[in-house]
Amino acid sequence: MCRFAVSSVWALGLTSTHHTLVAFTALEKRAAIGLAAIFSTRMLGLFMILPVFALYAHDLQGATPLLVGLAIGAYGLTQALFQIPLGLLSDRIGRKPVIYGGLVLFALGSVIAALSEQISWVIFGRVLQGSGAIAAATIALTADLTRDAVRTRAMAAIGISVALSFAAALVLGPPLARWLGIGGVFWLTAGLAIAGMLVLAYVVPDPERSSVHREAQPVLDQFSGVLANPTLLRLDLGIFLLHLTMVSLFVVLPLSIEAAGLAAVDHWLLYLPVVLLAILAMVPFIIMAERGGRVKSVLLGSVVAMGAAMLGFYFFNDSIWILGVLLFVMFTVFNLMEAILPSLVSKAARAGARGTAMGVFSSSQFVGAFLGGLLGGLAHQSFGADAVYLVGATTAALWIVLAATLVVPANLTAHVLALGDHSVQESAGLQSRLLAIPGVEDAVVALDEGVAYLKVDSGRLDWSTLQTFSARA
């Protein structure tokens, strides 16, 4: 559930790769490493209970299947509610204060959950964990601390670290829960939040100044256009349904694995090979989609495979080998969608609106996580554990309809053009002059940032003419 935050992070590269590869400065390297560490440790703490909570929650007072599901997904609601507002707040009071505050809330929620003997207090702790929504502020700080030429790779480093944290959580969660108990896992999560604060204080540099980066963070006046875009709405609903399905799956999957004969402490023996194989398996499909021009076919096929896998869980969850195969399919689809959907959002968003589009997209996935826990718990309590798998099959059927009607956006590249002083002084008509350059399909001039945000067709772009507008010319 790399994404969960973050799914979105690696689609946030801010400039095209036309220029010669530029090395990181020492400061940029510190920023990328430090912020990736903060992001990944927070995600690790959130994800570690996914593979184990359903197995140990019965020890909590008042635990019911519905409340277990709610505890698993509760963080998603507050994460969705606060992610964009806290990102906007960081424009006013600074990035680091918002990130410190978010980590404090995350640590406090973890401590409350660790001390709780009643599931209602665990739910409250998870709600607090989610309210420390630092994703938007962290991405904005990354943009503040990196140049256009290296920002893509800094964002990619964060995205990769989040993906690895999800894999690590599935592997580490079961043995840690066995040795430390669920309370111990939450204490460890609180420790990870404190470690994140230390990294922020001693590793991540302070930016010389913070500014709005339209390609990296939400901007209020762009929301109406983003929400009115039918392609973006379909992609938002797609990530919503994907995370609803995955979180609902973990409401009962650990129970099925244990019932199939694998002890709780040994669940990592199943997760580890399945996750590694799934990462390898998605690569040819990404190549087929991006380079082969078969995005829609890959998307539709993946959703069909997800629905078939959920039906497989319903009918064949008594065999550990079949569970392993079905998990392999699910994780392959999940990883694949986590790569393809943000890429499509990036292509569908107008120039200069990608940060806002990704903010809405990310919030959609967190709402999906919340409802996945809620609906999974409700189905488990009302109709039995196997019924939860039918929830996933139903969401897949809905998604097939959305995917079938999706208009795949044109394969345009986002490019940030640093404007020269002469371009700023001659700002009248600058947008129309940029649009007149062959290959420039969309342009938004942001004089306050001294840049122009472009969507370009790299295959026919007149780079030499474009660079006459740049400070680098």
Side-chain angles (χ1 to χ4, degrees):
M1 254 151 276
C2 53
R3 330 209 187 204
F4 276 179
V6 180
S7 75
S8 322
V9 176
W10 62 11
L12 289 175
L14 298 184
T15 184
S16 66
T17 56
H18 173 72
H19 304 288
T20 303
L21 193 65
V22 177
F24 284 98
T25 65
L27 182 145
E28 288 170 333
K29 191 177 295 184
R30 280 176 54 200
I33 293 172
L35 291 169
I38 292 169
F39 227 129
S40 60
T41 52
R42 182 178 179 275
M43 292 298 105
L44 180 64
L46 276 175
F47 297 155
M48 267 197 298
I49 76 157
L50 281 177
V52 297
F53 192 74
L55 295 168
Y56 297 95
H58 56 77
D59 294 331
L60 296 168
Q61 296 176 19
T64 65
L66 173 59
L67 294 180
V68 169
L70 187 57
I72 290 173
Y75 79 94
L77 180 61
T78 43
Q79 185 88 15
L81 289 174
F82 290 109
Q83 177 186 226
I84 291 176
L86 288 180
L88 296 173
L89 180 63
S90 75
D91 293 336
R92 294 179 174 272
I93 69 172
R95 317 298 187 200
K96 282 195 169 183
V98 170
I99 297 173
Y100 278 123
L103 291 172
V104 168
L105 286 172
F106 185 75
L108 180 60
S110 301
V111 170
I112 289 173
L115 293 172
S116 300
E117 295 182 357
Q118 295 182 345
I119 195 165
S120 57
W121 282 103
V122 173
I123 293 170
F124 179 66
R126 290 285 279 174
V127 167
L128 268 184
Q129 282 185 324
S131 66
I134 62 171
T138 304
I139 292 168
L141 181 56
T142 306
D144 287 338
L145 292 170
T146 54
R147 294 164 293 162
D148 291 348
V150 301
R151 201 166 291 151
T152 300
R153 284 175 282 149
M155 296 294 186
I158 294 175
I160 292 169
S161 72
V162 174
L164 293 175
S165 72
F166 174 61
L170 293 179
V171 174
L172 296 176
L176 286 175
R178 181 70 175 86
W179 300 331
L180 305 176
I182 285 294
V185 172
F186 281 121
W187 279 117
L188 179 58
T189 298
L192 290 172
I194 294 171
M197 292 182 226
L198 294 175
V199 170
L200 185 62
Y202 295 108
V203 177
V204 178
D206 294 320
E208 292 183 4
R209 68 185 184 92
S210 293
S211 58
V212 174
H213 305 272
R214 287 170 171 80
E215 289 287 83
Q217 62 191 106
V219 178
L220 280 175
D221 61 10
Q222 295 174 335
F223 278 100
S224 59
V226 166
L227 294 174
N229 186 317
T231 299
L232 289 175
L233 286 177
R234 281 175 169 79
L235 296 171
D236 294 338
L237 287 170
I239 199 69
F240 164 82
L241 293 171
L242 178 66
H243 284 262
L244 190 158
T245 301
M246 287 299 289
V247 172
S248 69
L249 177 66
F250 278 99
V251 171
V252 294
L253 177 64
L255 302 175
S256 293
I257 295 174
E258 187 176 53
L262 191 63
V265 70
D266 294 325
H267 283 195
W268 70 273
L269 294 171
L270 178 63
Y271 290 127
L272 179 60
V274 165
V275 168
L276 294 178
L277 289 172
I279 291 172
L280 294 175
M282 77 170 180
V283 174
F285 293 104
I286 290 178
I287 295 173
M288 185 188 305
E290 294 293 338
R291 297 184 185 176
R294 300 179 181 177
V295 174
K296 192 164 184 176
S297 298
V298 171
L299 181 60
L300 269 171
S302 298
V303 179
V304 170
M306 185 180 80
M310 294 305 294
L311 289 175
F313 282 118
Y314 179 77
F315 288 109
F316 306 110
N317 59 56
D318 56 347
S319 167
I320 194 66
W321 293 103
I322 294 179
L323 285 175
V325 171
L326 296 172
L327 267 179
F328 166 73
V329 173
M330 285 298 298
F331 287 154
T332 301
V333 169
F334 184 81
N335 291 332
L336 184 59
M337 291 299 97
E338 286 284 308
I340 289 178
L341 292 178
S343 175
L344 291 174
V345 170
S346 178
K347 293 173 182 176
R350 288 206 59 193
R354 184 165 49 171
T356 306
M358 292 304 301
V360 175
F361 178 80
S362 185
S363 295
S364 299
Q365 74 183 36
F366 290 123
V367 175
F370 167 68
L371 287 179
L374 179 63
L375 294 178
L378 182 62
H380 185 190
Q381 181 163 303
S382 302
F383 305 105
D386 289 352
V388 179
Y389 300 127
L390 295 181
V391 172
T394 302
T395 59
L398 294 173
W399 195 359
I400 288 171
V401 176
L402 287 172
T405 57
L406 175 70
V407 177
V408 177
N411 190 21
L412 301 178
T413 302
H415 180 73
V416 179
L417 181 72
L419 299 174
D421 291 337
H422 65 287
S423 296
V424 174
Q425 293 165 3
E426 301 166 2
S427 58
L430 182 56
Q431 182 179 25
S432 60
R433 280 183 285 150
L434 287 169
L435 288 171
I437 299 172
V440 176
E441 303 297 329
D442 193 11
V444 172
V445 177
L447 293 179
D448 56 327
E449 298 179 51
V451 300
Y453 294 100
L454 311 176
K455 298 296 284 289
V456 303
D457 182 345
S458 299
R460 63 185 192 89
L461 180 64
D462 184 348
W463 284 103
S464 59
T465 300
L466 181 62
Q467 289 307 304
T468 62
F469 293 86
S470 173
R472 293 188 293 271

